[in-house]
Amino acid sequence: MSLSTNLQIDADRLWQALDDMARIGPGIAGGNNRQTLTDEDGEGRRLFRQWCEAAGLRVDVDSMGNMFATRPGADPDATPICLGSHLDTQPTGGRYDGVLGVLAALEVVRTLNDLGIATRRPIVVINWTNEEGARFAPAMISSGVFAGVYQESWAKDRVDAQGLRFGDELRRIGFEGETPVGTHKVGAFFELHIEQGPILEDEGIDIGVVTHGQGLYWLRVTLTGQESHTGSTPMGKRRNAGLALARTVELVHETAMAHQPAAVGTVGHMEVHPNSPNIIAGRAVATIDIRSPHRDTLEAMREAIVSGIDALAEPLGVKAEIEIVGHFDPVAFDPECVAAVRRSADRLGLSHRDIVSGAGHDACYINRIAPTAMIMCPCVGGLSHNEAEAITRQWAGNGANVLLNAVVDAAGVVA
Ligand SMILES: [Zn+2]
């Protein structure tokens, strides 16, 4: 059966849970420092487990430390509907990035309990380990292992800046579970997340229906010319790697501008050698970051940039080498799950628009193995990965209500 009225979560209770979690691993400016596999992460996980158990959920932890809190369904053979995000933060992180998705998922279960609603499929609240990648690179490592993107042994051998191993730290905080990673079933996955960009707030829209995640390339370009004296080398005799770098920065910008609106391009990392005022740069190294939700656009930009760099370097007497050092395919979320999110927002009378996720999320990897969708709510000034990250109780409540209704739709209500 489907429900005739719209279900509503308790926004005050959700807000209180967000406040309580933010007390663990406080930052220095009102945000949080609860980096993955630290004592603070362990404390946050234990509070989350305690809340789940109090809500009648069975909590299981896999060998990557991913936490699965299950509310049984009426049909024991049905694959579960999963929802969640991550509790770890950046070193100077906000209170809501990831945390909202996990605690809103818990609030969904608390609401179903209050209303005495049974679902056909089980509902599983998930906390993915190390989404942020700040302490152990890369980001989204544990949802990545779960989805078969990375090997577990490789992931556990990652080390932090102090040389501590991921696997050792996971065991130290008591969250290396017995269940082999990847064995939990996922019938569908829904992730609520703050937007981390300015679009929803600027346009005064309640809900972002995430249709795509951006694909990206990181291209490392090494430009080799010749170091020589700035005063005595005639302009026509120079092999100036710095000039080639400047033209590369311009090329990346123009290439992204030529593929608007669904493309961005940046050169955020640049080094010139030897970096001296009176030496023409003999070598420059930069990392180009290009992103688009559309594979064709992303590939076209990559080709334009690679051939463009060759073309600009040659007349300068500079040798260009380009290497792919990072790549994600664009993500197209599951049309049925996306439609369920849109329908829920409509039924709740919330304004919504389709949106592309500019950042990576656990949902991007889970989408490879199960139908997946993301819901976004606005955040103040689009600011994130910053202790000043802020949302309103209303925004959090709206997002959680859409999550609740989409999940109940997918899980099916038993009369
Ligand atoms: Zn996040």
Side-chain angles (χ1 to χ4, degrees), residues 85-86 97-98 131-132 191 193 196 360-361 385:
S85 191
H86 61 95
D97 173 358
E131 192 276 344
E132 293 292 359
E191 179 170 1
H193 205 283
Q196 301 180 281
H361 294 288
H385 285 197

Side-chain angles (χ1 to χ4, degrees), residues 130-193:
N130 187 29
E131 192 276 344
E132 293 292 359
R135 183 177 174 205
F136 296 99
M140 308 173 311
I141 198 170
S142 303
S143 54
V145 174
F146 187 89
V149 177
Y150 304 119
Q151 292 286 326
E152 179 172 2
S153 55
W154 178 84
K156 285 186 163 165
D157 276 340
R158 298 303 90 207
V159 290
D160 71 4
Q162 272 70 52
L164 297 169
R165 269 182 80 250
F166 182 103
D168 296 338
E169 287 293 277
L170 180 61
R171 198 166 311 129
R172 185 185 68 77
I173 66 162
F175 277 89
E176 183 178 50
E178 312 253 288
T179 310
V181 60
T183 50
H184 288 93
K185 291 201 169 68
V186 180
F189 180 62
F190 292 89
E191 179 170 1
L192 168 64
H193 205 283

Side-chain angles (χ1 to χ4, degrees), residues 384-401:
S384 171
H385 285 197
N386 187 311
E387 292 204 42
E389 179 186 282
I391 61 174
T392 70
R393 184 181 316 219
Q394 179 78 40
W395 294 347
N398 288 343
N401 275 326

Side-chain angles (χ1 to χ4, degrees), residues 25 35 113 115 161 182 189 206 230 242 294 310 315 326 334 340 390 400 409:
Q35 290 182 72
N113 289 350
L115 299 175
F189 180 62
D206 301 315
T230 54
H294 307 301
D310 282 340
D334 179 70
D409 240 19

Side-chain angles (χ1 to χ4, degrees), residues 374-390:
M374 287 192 77
I375 303 159
M376 282 183 177
C377 73
C379 61
V380 175
L383 195 64
S384 171
H385 285 197
N386 187 311
E387 292 204 42
E389 179 186 282

Side-chain angles (χ1 to χ4, degrees), residues 81-85 101 128 186-193 207-213 331-344 354-355 357 361-376 399 402-403 405-407 410:
I81 301 302
C82 302
L83 58 163
S85 191
W128 299 109
V186 180
F189 180 62
F190 292 89
E191 179 170 1
L192 168 64
H193 205 283
I207 294 294
V209 179
V210 185
T211 57
H212 292 81
V331 175
F333 287 110
D334 179 70
E336 273 182 45
C337 290
V338 171
V341 169
R342 204 178 280 124
R343 237 178 4 249
S344 297
D354 289 358
I355 196 166
S357 170
H361 294 288
D362 294 307
C364 298
Y365 282 152
I366 302 309
N367 189 58
R368 297 185 180 205
I369 53 164
T372 295
M374 287 192 77
I375 303 159
M376 282 183 177
V402 173
L403 180 67
N405 284 274
V407 162

